[in-house]
C-alpha cells in the first residue's frame, strides 16, 4: 500500500484498514510459528503498512485540531 493511497482514506477507513492489517499480522505470525508461512517478507510489508497508516492517521488528527 502506497502513502498516496492511504492519504486518500477517511479517518474511519484508516481505522478499518489498521484493524485489517493487524489481523493479517496476527495471522502471519501464527503461520510462522506453525511453519506454514511461505512468503516471510510479507511480515515486514504488513508491519510497514501499519506504521504508514498510523502515521497518516496521526497527521490527519493533528490537522483537524489545528
Amino acid at each position: 500500500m502506497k502513502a498516496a493511497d492511504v492519504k486518500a482514506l477517511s479517518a474511519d477507513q484508516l481505522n478499518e484498514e489498521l484493524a485489517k492489517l493487524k489481523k493479517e499480522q496476527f495471522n502471519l505470525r501464527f503461520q510462522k510459528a506453525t511453519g506454514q508461512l511461505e512468503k516471510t517478507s510479507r511480515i515486514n510489508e504488513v508491519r510497514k503498512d501499519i506504521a504508514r497508516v498510523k502515521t497518516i492517521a496521526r497527521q490527519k488528527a493533528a490537522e483537524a485540531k489545528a
Side-chain angles (χ1 to χ4, degrees), residues 11-43:
D12 290 336
Q13 290 172 326
L14 286 172
N15 288 334
E16 290 174 13
E17 185 68 25
L18 183 61
K20 185 179 85 169
L21 288 168
K22 284 191 174 262
K23 186 173 184 177
E24 182 179 357
Q25 183 183 36
F26 173 79
N27 289 333
L28 289 170
R29 285 195 327 246
F30 197 85
Q31 287 176 6
K32 183 179 179 186
T34 59
Q36 297 175 346
L37 184 62
E38 294 179 11
K39 189 175 177 186
T40 57
S41 64
R42 184 68 185 142
I43 293 173

